[in-house]
Amino acid sequence: MSKPMRVAACHASAVFLSAKGTTEKAISLVHQAAKNNANLVVFPETFIPAFPVWSSLRPPTENHSLFQKMAQQSIYVDGPEMGAIQAAAKKYSTIVSIGISEKVRYSSACLFNSNVIVGLDGKILVHHRKLMPTFFEKLTWSPGDGYGLRVAETAFGKIGNLICGENTNPLARYSLMAQGEQLHISTWPAIWPTRAPRTAVADGVGERNSRSNVSGKEGEKRVPVNYDNIAANRTRAAAHCFEAKCFGVLCSGRLDQNAIDIISEGSSDEGHVRTVLEQSPAAATMFLDPTGALLPGYTINGTSGEKQTKEYLQKEEDILYADMDFADCVEGKQYHDVVGGYQRLDVFDLKVNRIRRHPATFVDTPVLEE
């Protein structure tokens, strides 16, 4: 029998490209959320040490120093930064889900976009590497494997995670549904630039809704518009919540001025890069219920303790809270239990390989002493 759970989603900016600084900030946020009785604290995609949005804006020939810094500041899953996060989870008796850029000991520059869920006792429950880096992310991260397609068994219920574009992969999502997932964590970057900021209608014909890509009045010229971050992320997460009949938390990062300065400086077109960073639609942090509908959250004033209802956080840095009862995941299963009574297991058969991949398997002959 599950018990009610308070989830804290940290809509926060990293101390950009600083593993130490961002780890310290994460621990501070865990402490703050725990004081407000949070049972689960969630951080954005690759919160430690940063999301490499520069690869969407600067040519690869200008990114060598940024990649080198990213490799230096990425962290080991068994390293001191994760150790400190684990210690904080245990100290404050709080589950922690955190995105990291993970490095490995068999290579000086092989990185993974990873998410780690830490239990109340400080032990790692799930260590997931993003199956496939998306678009420009391939310039930074290697493809992961199926090892982390697992749900965390907790005292509150079953918690799963997918990273950003993985929430577009129906087989990855189904893999978590098939393990009885009751809370789905999806993590996202602060922005996702696909085009330079532009007006929606060309040649001075007039303005159109920036979310529409459909030509309106006769004579209007279709002009590609920017990526609608909130709509895209919510659509994917809501589809999963509706299909799985589970709660959802979308936790997105933020770009502060320091990050914008670091990414822009040294570019051959610094003004353009800065403009795109400042004007691209920002992602939002929000909660969804088991029907896929918005579940309003709230912030908590650090001085008065007063709660303020918020549908989502986008521009301001804060912690968004929501209270969930996983018993509410049951009703929808009467209609569509897509891994149970509403599935044709005799027709469809999904096989998921959860073997952790390594670059080589070494078989050594024991050396006999003379």
Side-chain angles (χ1 to χ4, degrees), residues 6 36 287 295-302 304-313 316-323:
R6 177 167 293 182
N36 290 322
F287 299 103
L295 174 65
Y298 55 88
T299 56
I300 300 177
N301 185 287
S304 66
E306 180 183 357
K307 295 180 182 179
Q308 182 179 2
T309 301
K310 295 266 190 179
E311 289 191 346
Y312 58 83
L313 294 176
E316 69 271 33
E317 178 163 310
D318 208 337
I319 301 177
L320 192 68
Y321 297 86
D323 299 312

Side-chain angles (χ1 to χ4, degrees), residues 23 27 75-89 118 122 124:
T23 301
I27 291 171
I75 65 174
Y76 297 112
V77 78
D78 60 351
E81 296 85 3
M82 271 310 306
I85 298 292
Q86 291 174 254
V118 180
I124 292 177

Side-chain angles (χ1 to χ4, degrees), residues 180-200:
E181 185 186 38
Q182 294 166 295
L183 172 61
H184 182 71
I185 298 170
S186 57
T187 53
W188 312 88
I191 60 173
W192 184 257
T194 58
R195 299 181 185 276
R198 302 179 67 173
T199 57

Side-chain angles (χ1 to χ4, degrees), residues 23-337:
T23 301
E24 291 173 350
K25 182 172 182 176
I27 291 171
S28 175
L29 290 167
V30 170
H31 181 207
Q32 180 181 338
K35 287 196 300 182
N36 290 322
N37 301 312
N39 307 114
L40 166 65
V41 185
V42 182
F43 291 93
E45 179 178 11
T46 60
F47 187 62
I48 305 174
F51 181 83
V53 68
W54 58 77
S55 291
S56 70
L57 300 171
R58 297 172 50 146
T61 52
E62 295 183 358
N63 286 346
H64 303 306
S65 61
L66 286 168
F67 177 77
Q68 184 178 42
K69 184 75 170 178
M70 185 72 164
Q72 290 171 345
Q73 294 299 311
S74 293
I75 65 174
Y76 297 112
V77 78
D78 60 351
E81 296 85 3
M82 271 310 306
I85 298 292
Q86 291 174 254
K90 183 175 182 179
K91 178 179 179 179
Y92 299 118
S93 192
T94 305
I95 302 166
V96 175
S97 172
I98 189 163
I100 65 171
S101 179
E102 178 193 356
K103 58 185 176 183
V104 291
R105 301 189 187 279
Y106 57 73
S107 170
S108 61
C110 179
L111 307 179
F112 294 98
N113 181 342
S114 299
N115 194 86
V116 181
I117 300 177
V118 180
L120 300 173
D121 58 359
K123 295 181 180 179
I124 292 177
L125 301 177
V126 180
H127 170 204
H128 174 56
R129 293 172 175 168
K130 188 175 182 181
L131 296 171
M132 180 57 64
T134 308
F135 190 25
F136 59 80
E137 294 175 0
K138 294 180 176 71
L139 294 171
T140 300
W141 292 308
S142 299
D145 53 40
Y147 180 84
L149 289 176
R150 306 167 189 267
V151 298
E153 301 271 0
T154 76
F156 304 94
K158 298 179 179 181
I159 302 170
N161 159 264
L162 289 176
I163 304 166
C164 193
E166 290 186 309
N167 291 280
T168 317
N169 186 328
L171 301 184
R173 296 193 298 103
Y174 186 87
S175 298
L176 298 182
M177 294 182 205
Q179 298 171 71
E181 185 186 38
Q182 294 166 295
L183 172 61
H184 182 71
I185 298 170
S186 57
T187 53
W188 312 88
I191 60 173
W192 184 257
T194 58
R195 299 181 185 276
R198 302 179 67 173
T199 57
V201 179
D203 302 326
V205 175
E207 294 185 358
R208 289 180 14 236
N209 185 335
S210 64
R211 296 185 180 185
S212 172
N213 228 6
V214 180
S215 183
K217 299 177 182 178
E218 185 178 355
E220 287 186 355
K221 181 180 178 181
R222 289 175 54 137
V223 177
V225 295
N226 249 335
Y227 188 78
D228 191 329
N229 219 323
I230 295 180
N233 295 354
R234 181 177 172 182
T235 296
R236 287 177 279 190
H240 183 78
C241 290
F242 182 82
E243 293 169 7
K245 313 306 178 190
C246 70
F247 285 95
V249 51
L250 292 78
C251 189
S252 303
R254 286 183 71 256
L255 273 183
D256 61 12
Q257 192 59 49
N258 179 58
I260 292 173
D261 291 343
I262 292 173
I263 296 167
S264 303
E265 290 171 358
S267 170
S268 57
D269 195 351
E270 182 175 332
H272 169 74
V273 171
R274 190 176 295 274
T275 297
V276 175
L277 292 173
E278 292 175 345
Q279 296 186 12
S280 289
T285 291
M286 68 184 79
F287 299 103
L288 303 173
D289 72 17
T291 71
L294 185 70
L295 174 65
Y298 55 88
T299 56
I300 300 177
N301 185 287
T303 303
S304 66
E306 180 183 357
K307 295 180 182 179
Q308 182 179 2
T309 301
K310 295 266 190 179
E311 289 191 346
Y312 58 83
L313 294 176
Q314 186 181 25
K315 295 182 179 180
E316 69 271 33
E317 178 163 310
D318 208 337
I319 301 177
L320 192 68
Y321 297 86
D323 299 312
M324 304 173 181
D325 186 343
F326 290 174
D328 294 338
C329 298
V330 173
E331 180 181 335
K333 293 283 190 177
Q334 297 177 87
Y335 321 131
H336 318 107
D337 188 349

Side-chain angles (χ1 to χ4, degrees), residues 6-26:
R6 177 167 293 182
V7 181
C10 298
H11 190 70
S13 55
V15 180
F16 204 72
L17 289 175
S18 171
K20 183 176 185 293
T22 309
T23 301
E24 291 173 350
K25 182 172 182 176

